Amino acid sequence: MRIKTRIILLFASVVVVIAATLSGMLYAEFKINQALLSSRSVYAIVSQTSQLKRLATEISNTGISRLQAQWAKNTTALKQAIDSHHGDETITAEMRREVAQLDEVFSSLATAFDGRGKTGRIADDGQGHLYRINHLTMLLHSISTLADRIAAKSHTRIQWVQKQRDRVIIGSLTVWCGFILLWCIALWTGIMSPMRRLTESIAVIGKGDLKHRVWVRDTGDEMNNLMISFNLMLDRLADLTVSRKRVLDAAEHERIRIGRHLHEGVCQDLTGVCMELELISGESDHKNTIQRIRDRVARTQKDIRQVAKDLHPVMLDEFGLIMTLEWLCDKHGNSFDILFQPHIDEADIPRSLYTAIFRITQEAVSNAEKHGWADTVHVQLNKGNSTIDLSIEDNGQGFDSSREYEGSGLISMRERAAAEQGVLTVNTSPGQGCTIIVSFPLEPCIKPTALKADFVRM
């Protein structure tokens, strides 16, 4: 699945979760408001019932007329509270009946007390008065019991609504945590993990290991395509490296061929010319002219031999790299102090690196003499764990490495180092000399045919 598709799906899921969370919270808020309204009506019922019970204790012959108005007010308020309560209809209907009977009993009791006040005797016998008082008390007790039941149910409902709200909150938090986890997994598997593999591979390749490849999953997303393109780029770079090495090897072979031709052909012909001149010098009257010709031919022969050596020193094939480097340092020893320290055995150096090491050393020493005006040059050849390291350090004038300046000498050295999968580093600054360090891997050069199928799992 593509990263863009994952992000769209996650975004849509987040929108759905937000909508569901808001809906759940609004529903819980609505239920809480309903429970609060119900609890207010329950509070009013319980309060008015308590007021009626208090008034019932104050009923007497002298106070009945005073209590009638307050009784009517409280019963009216109780009926309104019952009508406003949206709870169990069975209980509220029973309470309405109880309140209606309560009004009838209170009215009959008030009539009885009112008749006794007018005639001087009670309108009913004492037994009937006591019955009405008891009936009134029983009705108030029944209404109070019903109010308690309503209050208990309202409390239970409020607790239930609170639990539902807590469940909605906990569920929303759980879903959000799940989506955050999904986001993290999607970002890690889709972006962070491939970027980590790509960064680690770049670090490995930066050390000169062009055989390394990024492990690619067959996911078809953008990062997968990026890493496939990166591996293809490395294949092309490796092909170019091998091609460049072949070009340099071909140039070196051409140097060898030209050098041998100059040494074995032109120099031999010049030697023959010198011998012919020697033979005719005794018979000719132009001895001085012949001598000048012989001297000029000798100088030309010497120059050609020097050119042949520069093209390809025969010592490199006959005596090895270390002795050739010693000869090179001795050759430049007349111009400045030069020290060569090989901390490696000849057998540990692959023959494929002979030419590259010699040419880089030759170019670096020549640059130190011609451009750096150095007095001292220090050449070292060391063996690392998996590399062969060449170091050329001089005390010349150096140059500003921050400027984009690379002469043909530096370019040639970089080309030769890169052809052998080596890494060339130049450390220099104006007035501080120059140090050139080249690290060659000991592993053999990679082949272009093996590159396209070589994927390294990280």
Side-chain angles (χ1 to χ4, degrees), residues 321-375:
L321 176 64
I322 292 179
M323 289 190 65
T324 305
L325 291 177
E326 290 176 349
W327 165 80
L328 177 66
C329 293
D330 291 340
K331 175 185 172 182
H332 288 275
N334 298 327
S335 303
F336 48 78
D337 293 334
I338 184 168
L339 175 64
F340 173 58
Q341 291 181 317
H343 303 290
I344 188 173
D345 294 333
E346 185 86 27
D348 294 333
I349 306 174
R351 291 195 64 86
S352 59
L353 298 179
Y354 278 18
T355 301
I357 293 175
F358 173 77
R359 291 301 182 191
I360 292 174
T361 306
Q362 184 183 38
E363 186 66 38
V365 172
S366 177
N367 287 344
E369 178 182 2
K370 294 179 181 178
H371 307 294
W373 302 339
D375 297 326

Side-chain angles (χ1 to χ4, degrees), residues 18 45 69 112 170 212 268 275 288 321 351 353 357 364 415 441:
I18 290 175
I45 292 171
I170 293 173
H212 188 83
Q268 294 297 330
M275 293 176 64
N288 293 332
L321 176 64
R351 291 195 64 86
L353 298 179
I357 293 175
E415 290 287 332

Side-chain angles (χ1 to χ4, degrees), residues 161-221:
V161 171
Q162 289 177 340
K163 288 181 180 180
Q164 295 302 316
R165 181 195 60 187
D166 295 340
R167 289 175 182 174
V168 169
I169 294 174
I170 293 173
S172 300
L173 291 176
T174 302
V175 172
W176 274 111
C177 290
F179 270 102
I180 291 174
L181 181 61
L182 288 177
W183 268 98
C184 293
I185 293 174
L187 291 175
W188 180 258
T189 58
I191 299 177
M192 299 304 296
S193 182
M195 286 299 296
R196 179 183 59 83
R197 296 200 305 270
L198 186 61
T199 304
E200 291 177 355
S201 297
I202 291 173
V204 174
I205 294 166
K207 296 178 180 178
D209 185 7
L210 293 182
K211 296 187 301 181
H212 188 83
R213 293 295 179 274
V214 185
W215 176 50
V216 179
R217 288 182 177 179
D218 190 13
T219 57
D221 56 24

Side-chain angles (χ1 to χ4, degrees), residues 313-320 324 351:
V314 181
M315 292 179 62
L316 198 61
D317 297 327
E318 295 180 355
F319 300 105
T324 305
R351 291 195 64 86

Side-chain angles (χ1 to χ4, degrees), residues 73-86:
K73 179 181 177 181
N74 288 335
T75 53
T76 302
L78 178 59
K79 290 176 182 179
Q80 291 176 352
I82 293 172
D83 292 337
S84 65
H85 178 68
H86 301 285

